[in-house]
Amino acid sequence: MSRRRKIYEGKAKVLFEGPEPGTLVQYFKDDATAFNNKKQGTITGKGVLNNRISEFLMAKLSEIGIPTHFVRRLNMREQLIKKVDIIPIEIVVRNVAAGSFSDRFGISEGSPLPRSIIEYYYKSDELNDPMIIEEHITAFGWATPQELDEILSMTLRINDFLSGLFLALGIKLVDFKLEFGRLYEGDDVRIVLADEISPDNCRLWDIKTNEKLDKDRFRRDLDRVEEAYQEVARRLGILPEGGPRDFTRLDTVQ
Ligand code: TMP
């Protein structure tokens, strides 16, 4: 890993001080956790693939006018990002019933929803990321009503755009999680998309077979976990040259 000063280490990524003020380097690990860290493991090559997948999707979103923290990919496992204040909310979009939604409402996985549903969770490992409502967000000052409006309208555009992008690749975007941050530029503050978009925080199902191409394979002890991440990268046309054997060995660059 790099010699830069470490700012923060999360479950799947590490943030280092960036080369210029206002920037950070986001390093993608192969570590995987589920159920608030109760299940831990490694998905070989995941960091390399998520770095590419998130780069690709954030760049596409920025082309349609969604501001993001992404600047550029630096190497196999690292990308340069703008430093933001993360808003401590996870925004989950659901197009099809699955996961905790299916458990909570007793609706079988795969049932289509009458419309997309947005849920909010408070980012807190100690509290196990409790589900919250808008009232909590504004009352506790995690975001202002204006910021929340902006987050919601960006989230809906992101869902429409990504659903179409994946559909064209034969993939159903079942649900996903987003995080946003405040970007300070002079006297200006803007809300931008942050964190990552990858099979770690999306449910992606093959449109024909409903085969899971995401982290649920790890969460649920299914086989071919690595292959699922590779398949998403392959369909996006960004599987690193040389294939899996090449990138799994390359976990340190620079
Ligand atoms: P859930 O059904 O477990 O609530 O997950 C909904 C979506 O959010 C799913 O695509 C996985 C993603 N997610 C995260 O990215 N991080 C988390 O901590 C959780 C619980 C879910």
Side-chain angles (χ1 to χ4, degrees):
M1 218 178 283
S2 93
R3 273 164 261 109
R4 282 168 287 229
R5 192 163 72 91
K6 193 194 278 187
I7 304 282
Y8 174 82
E9 177 149 11
K11 290 175 229 163
K13 299 188 289 295
V14 187
L15 295 176
F16 294 97
E17 202 167 59
E20 305 130 42
T23 65
L24 296 174
V25 172
Q26 180 164 252
Y27 177 98
F28 288 76
K29 301 190 276 188
D30 282 351
D31 298 354
T33 67
F35 316 117
N36 199 12
N37 235 345
K38 284 190 202 76
K39 180 177 164 77
Q40 297 178 339
T42 303
I43 303 174
T44 307
K46 172 172 84 80
V48 174
L49 295 169
N50 282 358
N51 187 20
R52 296 239 176 184
I53 294 169
S54 198
E55 168 196 21
F56 181 87
L57 297 175
M58 292 251 179
K60 289 277 176 209
L61 286 168
S62 113
E63 280 172 25
I64 63 152
I66 303 288
T68 82
H69 74 161
F70 178 79
V71 180
R72 66 175 181 277
R73 189 166 61 82
L74 297 171
N75 56 51
M76 295 287 262
R77 284 187 186 266
E78 294 179 328
Q79 51 182 241
L80 188 67
I81 58 171
K82 292 177 196 158
K83 190 176 187 167
V84 300
D85 275 356
I86 290 286
I87 292 170
I89 310 292
E90 300 195 340
I91 292 101
V92 169
V93 183
R94 300 184 187 272
N95 298 312
V96 174
S100 71
F101 184 93
S102 287
D103 294 342
R104 184 175 300 117
F105 296 107
I107 299 175
S108 58
E109 282 213 318
S111 309
L113 298 174
R115 62 181 176 84
S116 301
I117 293 175
I118 314 270
E119 297 172 345
Y120 304 105
Y121 295 84
Y122 177 48
K123 264 170 77 76
S124 164
D125 285 344
E126 301 81 67
L127 300 175
N128 216 358
D129 293 355
M131 194 186 200
I132 51 171
I133 59 168
E134 287 195 19
E135 285 276 285
H136 299 129
I137 299 174
T138 52
F140 289 124
W142 294 323
T144 65
Q146 292 76 14
E147 287 175 331
L148 204 48
D149 272 359
E150 229 178 296
I151 287 171
L152 192 55
S153 74
M154 278 196 241
T155 298
L156 295 173
R157 286 195 69 211
I158 293 168
N159 184 39
D160 281 350
F161 181 78
L162 292 184
S163 293
L165 184 149
F166 281 117
L167 187 61
L169 307 173
I171 292 174
K172 197 189 291 177
L173 180 58
V174 170
D175 57 30
F176 60 98
K177 185 264 292 182
L178 299 175
E179 292 185 29
F180 292 86
R182 286 185 199 94
L183 176 65
Y184 294 89
E185 283 178 326
D187 289 339
D188 250 29
V189 192
R190 279 201 300 156
I191 300 288
V192 304
L193 179 65
D195 192 49
E196 70 179 297
I197 309 180
S198 73
D200 267 14
N201 46 36
C202 300
R203 282 197 175 91
L204 304 166
W205 294 359
D206 180 85
I207 210 101
K208 288 209 191 89
T209 64
N210 278 343
E211 190 189 6
K212 296 180 198 315
L213 302 173
D214 58 64
K215 195 172 139 188
D216 267 352
R217 300 201 77 84
F218 168 79
R219 293 189 188 98
R220 301 177 187 196
D221 295 318
L222 303 175
D223 61 353
R224 291 179 291 113
V225 182
E226 281 85 1
E227 286 81 352
Y229 284 74
Q230 288 162 24
E231 178 62 12
V232 173
R234 192 190 64 76
R235 292 200 200 182
L236 290 168
I238 52 172
L239 194 63
E241 266 177 53
R245 202 162 290 129
D246 192 29
F247 65 76
T248 50
R249 277 185 286 113
L250 262 172
D251 53 334
T252 45
V253 187
Q254 272 197 340

